[in-house]
């Protein structure tokens, strides 16, 4: 019940040459299971700043899980910026009701954005939800959670370079997850992300399989 803030690096397989011992693919899911701990995995400097502000204003401990890679800054409206603190929000949307929802965190958010653009090019309507804090999102009221992840849209793909099982909570048993089910390997980051399926083509294929 103290306002402690832990800042963690080496969030996944991105520092590939360090090998599996420095690729904590299981840690983020484990941290999320600790009661009363706010866990943040931001996708860029803006989400990091919001997470830091929430942590300073909170009466409970927080973890900020950061990547070592350079990440693409995302563009946001004022409304989206305000929604970051709610743990999850619609980062990119389509016209009308989406056919599929892509949920991502951290360094995989840009991957989800690129996959949504590729799906749009194929005539498919995709929504991208950035979910930097599952803990904060779960505390939101039902109406807000429904506005971000409408129950009617059952085709969902979660994308996170960590243990996959945690994400069934948000995609359902019939959803798809681009995640990791083993320990990592020692290789350059780009090679590892491709080896483990963190590519636009794989995310698109998972989404199309659901549709």
């Amino acid at each position: 019940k103290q306002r402690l803030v832990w800042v963690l690096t080496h969030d996944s397989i991105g520092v590939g040459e360090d090998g599996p011992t420095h690729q904590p693919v299981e840690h983020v899911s484990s941290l999320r299971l600790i009661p009363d701990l706010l866990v943040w995995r931001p996708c860029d400097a803006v989400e990091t700043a919001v997470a830091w502000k929430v942590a300073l204003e909170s009466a409970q401990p927080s973890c900020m899980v950061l990547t070592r890679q350079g990440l693409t800054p995302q563009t946001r409206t004022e409304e989206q910026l305000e929604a970051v603190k709610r743990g999850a929000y619609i980062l990119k949307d389509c016209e009308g009701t989406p056919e599929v929802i892509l949920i991502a965190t951290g360094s995989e958010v840009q991957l989800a954005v690129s996959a949504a653009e590729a799906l749009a090019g194929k005539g498919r309507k995709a929504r991208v939800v950035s979910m930097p804090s599952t803990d904060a999102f779960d505390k939101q009221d039902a109406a807000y959670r429904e506005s971000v992840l409408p129950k009617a849209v059952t085709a969902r793909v979660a994308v996170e370079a960590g243990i996959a099982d945690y994400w069934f909570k948000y995609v359902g048993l019939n959803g798809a997850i681009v995640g990791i089910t083993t320990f990592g390997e020692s290789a350059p980051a780009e090679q590892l992300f491709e080896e483990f399926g963190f590519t636009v083509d794989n995310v698109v294929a998972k989404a199309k399989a659901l549709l």
Side-chain angles (χ1 to χ4, degrees):
K1 299 180 181 179
Q2 299 298 311
R3 190 188 64 186
L4 302 172
V5 182
W6 286 273
V7 180
L8 307 172
T9 64
H10 290 71
D11 70 328
S12 187
I13 59 174
V15 189
E17 294 85 350
D18 288 357
T21 57
H22 286 62
Q23 297 170 13
V25 296
E26 77 281 21
H27 282 44
V28 180
S29 290
S30 299
L31 289 168
R32 289 175 179 144
L33 296 176
I34 299 175
D36 299 321
L37 176 67
L38 272 176
V39 180
W40 292 85
R41 187 169 183 251
C43 77
D44 62 7
V46 171
E47 285 190 359
T48 303
V50 172
W52 180 246
K53 183 176 186 293
V54 172
L56 292 180
E57 294 174 346
S58 176
Q60 65 189 97
S62 301
C63 272
M64 297 175 61
V65 184
L66 308 179
T67 184
R68 298 289 292 270
Q69 302 110 259
L71 302 181
T72 304
Q74 302 297 324
T75 58
R76 298 173 182 83
T77 63
E78 287 296 323
E79 184 179 4
Q80 288 172 317
L81 180 60
E82 182 64 22
V84 173
K85 66 183 180 184
R86 306 187 79 164
Y89 62 101
I90 302 168
L91 179 63
K92 302 291 181 184
D93 213 356
C94 56
E95 292 291 334
T97 303
E99 296 176 280
V100 62
I101 299 175
L102 308 180
I103 309 168
T105 76
S107 51
E108 288 70 69
V109 168
Q110 179 56 48
L111 174 59
V113 170
S114 298
E117 292 170 350
L119 285 165
K122 299 177 184 295
R124 294 294 192 174
K125 298 191 292 184
R127 168 181 292 182
V128 176
V129 171
S130 178
M131 190 178 286
S133 177
T134 60
D135 310 283
F137 179 66
D138 289 348
K139 291 179 179 179
Q140 302 305 309
D141 59 75
Y144 180 76
R145 298 197 307 270
E146 172 68 16
S147 72
V148 176
L149 297 176
K151 294 182 179 67
V153 185
T154 58
R156 301 178 182 182
V157 182
V159 188
E160 184 177 63
I163 292 299
D165 288 2
Y166 181 86
W167 290 98
F168 284 113
K169 176 179 180 179
Y170 299 100
V171 303
L173 295 178
N174 296 320
I177 302 168
V178 179
I180 298 176
T181 57
T182 67
F183 288 106
E185 300 288 348
S186 182
E190 295 79 9
Q191 184 178 337
L192 286 181
F193 279 114
E194 184 171 355
E195 175 70 21
F196 284 105
F198 293 94
T199 64
V200 170
D201 287 346
N202 189 40
V203 177
V204 168
K206 294 276 190 183
K208 290 178 68 177
L210 295 177
L211 297 172

